Amino acid sequence: MSDEQATQQPGLSLVLPEQRPQRIYLLPVNQRPFMPGLVQPVLFKPDLWQPTVERVSQTPHHTLGLVYTGDRPPEDVGPDDFPEYGCLVRVHNAASESGMLQLVAQGLARFRITGWLSRKPPYLVEVEYPEAEEEDSDSVKAYALAIINTIKELLPLNPLYNEGLKLYLQNFSPREPSPLTDFAAALTTASGAELQGVLETVPLLKRMEKVLVLLKKELEVARLQNSINDQVNEKVSAQQRQFFLREQLKIIQKELGLAKDDRTADAEEFQARVADLTLPDAVAKRFDEELKKLSVLETGSPEYAVTRNYLDWLTQVPWGKLSTDNLDLHHARNVLEAHHAGLADIKDRIIEFLAVGAMRGEMRGAIILLVGPPGVGKTSIGRAIAESLNRRFYRLSLGGMRDEAEIKGHRRTYIGAMPGKLVQALKEAGTSNPVIMLDEIDKLGQSFQGDPASALLEVLDPEQNQQFLDHYLDLRVDLSHTLFICTANTLDSIPGPLLDRMEIIRLGGYITAEKVDIARKHLWPRALERAGVKPSRLKISDSALREVIEGYAREAGVRNLEKQLNRIVRKAVVQLLDGRRSLSVTGNNLAEFLGKPYFRPEKLQRGVGVVTGLAWTSLGGATLAVEASRVHNHGRGFRQTGQLGDVMRESSEIAYSFVSSHIEQYGADKDWFREAFVHLHVPEGATPKDGPSAGVTMATALISLARNQRLPRKLAMTGELTLTGQVLPVGGIREKVIAARRVGLRELVLPEANRRDYDELPDYLREKMTVHFASHYDDVFNTVFG
């Protein structure tokens, strides 16, 4: 090619040496170096580099140098940041575009800066153009073929390589190895530093070696990316294919009448549910209205989901669906006996309720409240009643419930609205007459969200619950066929209006003989079964059971007794796994399993001014010693200790006033209280005590102190005392009698008004007991000191 031909073809990048200017202006680029052979636009900020472009446009050659300055913005670099090598480019079509200065640059050749003529923008430098020396033509050819073949392999993997190759072939011959090498480097996605290294490598073979490595790396990345794309496209295509096939199948099934859309399927499902139910008129009307609304709503709309959820709940309530009651009293008694040992009077009360239902032909309107200490079997009694009636059982714990919406449901306009627990119970039971146990009704809470105890008034009133209104359904639900059984530990925290709607049955706890029977028949076999131990390998004697009850589990219920038996089984299992064939737990080796007893045998305190009283607690009955002592004779006074509550402190003051005003009548010096400072103490001062039932006990202790005479025999007493000496009735007679029997007391003084309560106790509690009834304190005095 002649020099004249080269000047007529401005597209060639390798211009003749005399056409390459020795002084050029510089522009910095920061994304990647500009390589010879490239033709592409370059953007600059006009406020800083516009003067440079104007100077270049005034030159005859229209060329400038593009130099890679790293990742720093071009406006932040100075002459010291420019590398030695750059790329000479010819500028075409300089124009402003979207606030930026755009140049179409054509890479011509690499240059090396030899000197700076202007170190401030516009930068002007002197340059030279290093040429590669001729090298082994065979090696160059081999490298060139390797580069071309690698580019061919890249072309099918990324269509962008096709565009770049077309631009290159428009300006260069593929037989020229140097521009081919520079173009191949620019074709890759190598980093700016790697490309700058290629630009600064003048020897051809060394440069071709670097570029070939970059191409091979690019080929591996492209293949990996293509493989990932194929996998993703395969999954997406499979999903799209399945989606289209499903849609086609739906259409085909719909045309053939084999399938229906979601709206029709939902409507038919709801209609099938109500076919077996007896809907009240109001419910049937609402069902038709909501079903009609469902038929016109779009399946994707939020209102459709709300309506569908409402119909789902409405059709799962067992409207008019009743189970058949088993009203055989003999069967009911057998079930109660199988579930519980003892509690004969409680079982009789329950049989009475069932008998009324048997006479009427159905059980309805009964609201039973089981009151007693923890662990006496209140919940299991409810299960036994449900089993005896052949009804479904549902237990609802009310402990800590503070939101009345839990009872009456939420309005369905709220997000996440649901019916109340009672409607949920009916749904789960599947009948309109289950046995619903409202557990821990004495532990209901109150908050700004409402009072659930007040919400229960409608539920537990037999005159109202046949029209119970659930806020979610907004329909009347008949709860009159449901048998409600409530449980509580105490009655103090239950509101009066709610308590008035329930029939109270008290469970006072178990005596030792009953606990032994329960442990032998129920607790011990259950503990062995849970541990997987055969009864023949581990046995326990009745004496050991009795000692466990007296020394480790003295509370009214049997829950702690079961825990202690489980401890025995666990420790025994360790020994059985160590090689023991069998074990027997007796009173002699019980301490090896449970350690020393927690409770010592109670010794009744006796002496002047010491009297044993009877108390009731939420955990059962207990004996209560009252001690009175004269501190000195230097002035009249009265002091009480023992962490007494306000009511009990008032009882002590009433007893002191009554005794001091009638002391001569009861055989003591009339002036005894005039100078005596008396101290009244109730032991176990760390335990809070309250209640009026220790009035007669305190008065007797004060008389014993004033008479300087201890009680002639062992006995205990309870009763409220008035200022006129009247003995008023107290509660918890059953628990107090059990507490007296536990410590071996067989003689009691009770208020006359509690005679009925005592007479109702079962025979085994009254056996060998001597009870004196008092209506006035004179009766108490005559019994104790007469």
Side-chain angles (χ1 to χ4, degrees), residues 260-274:
K260 306 168 182 66
D261 58 13
D262 293 339
R263 186 189 298 106
T264 306
D266 287 339
E268 291 189 356
E269 180 183 358
F270 297 143
Q271 288 173 335
R273 287 182 187 176
V274 301

Side-chain angles (χ1 to χ4, degrees), residues 208-314:
M208 296 178 83
E209 182 180 351
K210 285 185 178 183
V211 172
L212 188 59
V213 171
L214 295 180
L215 280 174
K216 291 294 184 182
K217 188 187 298 183
E218 189 75 14
L219 180 62
E220 291 300 321
V221 172
R223 284 175 177 170
L224 179 59
Q225 182 180 1
N226 197 55
S227 174
I228 294 173
N229 288 336
D230 289 342
Q231 294 177 12
V232 173
N233 290 333
E234 183 178 352
K235 290 182 180 179
V236 172
S237 299
Q239 291 175 354
Q240 290 178 340
R241 181 171 177 272
Q242 291 176 3
F243 172 76
F244 288 125
L245 288 175
R246 287 196 197 98
E247 293 300 316
Q248 291 174 357
L249 181 60
K250 285 181 181 179
I251 295 174
I252 294 172
Q253 289 177 335
K254 189 174 180 181
E255 291 294 330
L256 295 176
L258 300 177
K260 306 168 182 66
D261 58 13
D262 293 339
R263 186 189 298 106
T264 306
D266 287 339
E268 291 189 356
E269 180 183 358
F270 297 143
Q271 288 173 335
R273 287 182 187 176
V274 301
D276 298 331
L277 302 176
T278 306
L279 299 183
D281 294 340
V283 177
K285 181 180 179 183
R286 178 67 59 83
F287 174 75
D288 293 338
E289 292 173 354
E290 295 295 328
L291 197 63
K292 184 177 180 181
K293 183 195 298 184
L294 189 76
S295 64
V296 299
L297 291 172
E298 291 295 330
T299 55
S301 68
E303 184 65 21
Y304 181 87
V306 171
T307 304
R308 187 194 180 283
N309 193 45
Y310 177 82
L311 283 170
D312 185 42
W313 274 106
L314 183 67

Side-chain angles (χ1 to χ4, degrees), residues 102-375:
Q102 177 176 296
L103 311 177
V104 177
Q106 176 188 4
L108 302 177
R110 58 177 41 81
F111 65 82
R112 187 173 70 84
I113 299 173
T114 58
W116 286 80
L117 301 177
S118 173
R119 299 182 67 87
K120 294 181 180 180
Y123 297 118
L124 183 64
V125 295
E126 289 185 342
V127 296
E128 64 179 9
Y129 302 93
E131 296 289 342
E133 297 179 359
E134 293 187 5
E135 301 189 29
D136 184 4
S137 60
D138 292 336
S139 298
V140 171
K141 283 183 180 180
Y143 270 108
L145 287 174
I147 290 174
I148 291 172
N149 289 333
T150 306
I151 293 175
K152 287 180 180 180
E153 291 183 62
L154 280 169
L155 290 178
L157 300 178
N158 193 334
L160 295 178
Y161 298 132
N162 288 324
E163 299 298 326
L165 187 61
K166 287 179 182 178
L167 289 174
Y168 173 78
L169 293 177
Q170 289 175 3
N171 298 285
F172 301 99
S173 169
R175 297 184 182 84
E176 297 180 70
S178 182
L180 175 67
T181 304
D182 293 335
F183 164 74
L187 204 62
T188 68
T189 57
S191 65
E194 291 174 323
L195 292 179
Q196 181 67 24
V198 172
L199 188 65
E200 294 179 356
T201 304
V202 177
L204 184 57
L205 278 177
K206 197 171 181 180
R207 192 192 331 155
M208 296 178 83
E209 182 180 351
K210 285 185 178 183
V211 172
L212 188 59
V213 171
L214 295 180
L215 280 174
K216 291 294 184 182
K217 188 187 298 183
E218 189 75 14
L219 180 62
E220 291 300 321
V221 172
R223 284 175 177 170
L224 179 59
Q225 182 180 1
N226 197 55
S227 174
I228 294 173
N229 288 336
D230 289 342
Q231 294 177 12
V232 173
N233 290 333
E234 183 178 352
K235 290 182 180 179
V236 172
S237 299
Q239 291 175 354
Q240 290 178 340
R241 181 171 177 272
Q242 291 176 3
F243 172 76
F244 288 125
L245 288 175
R246 287 196 197 98
E247 293 300 316
Q248 291 174 357
L249 181 60
K250 285 181 181 179
I251 295 174
I252 294 172
Q253 289 177 335
K254 189 174 180 181
E255 291 294 330
L256 295 176
L258 300 177
K260 306 168 182 66
D261 58 13
D262 293 339
R263 186 189 298 106
T264 306
D266 287 339
E268 291 189 356
E269 180 183 358
F270 297 143
Q271 288 173 335
R273 287 182 187 176
V274 301
D276 298 331
L277 302 176
T278 306
L279 299 183
D281 294 340
V283 177
K285 181 180 179 183
R286 178 67 59 83
F287 174 75
D288 293 338
E289 292 173 354
E290 295 295 328
L291 197 63
K292 184 177 180 181
K293 183 195 298 184
L294 189 76
S295 64
V296 299
L297 291 172
E298 291 295 330
T299 55
S301 68
E303 184 65 21
Y304 181 87
V306 171
T307 304
R308 187 194 180 283
N309 193 45
Y310 177 82
L311 283 170
D312 185 42
W313 274 106
L314 183 67
T315 55
Q316 291 193 76
V317 176
W319 304 100
K321 196 172 182 180
L322 302 174
S323 61
T324 303
D325 288 340
N326 185 349
L327 299 175
D328 184 358
L329 298 184
H330 181 69
H331 169 72
R333 191 175 291 278
N334 289 338
V335 171
L336 291 173
E337 291 292 344
H339 279 76
H340 291 84
L343 301 179
D345 54 337
I346 306 301
K347 295 173 184 174
D348 290 340
R349 292 284 300 277
I350 293 172
I351 292 297
E352 292 170 7
F353 276 101
L354 301 181
V356 173
M359 179 63 70
R360 189 169 54 187
E362 62 174 342
M363 282 292 301
R364 61 182 300 174
I367 314 293
I368 300 174
L369 173 61
L370 302 175
V371 183

Side-chain angles (χ1 to χ4, degrees), residues 21 23-25 52-64:
R23 296 180 178 183
I24 60 175
Y25 291 98
T52 303
V53 175
E54 291 177 353
R55 299 252 184 127
V56 171
S57 64
Q58 297 172 3
T59 62
H61 46 78
H62 298 294
T63 60
L64 58 80

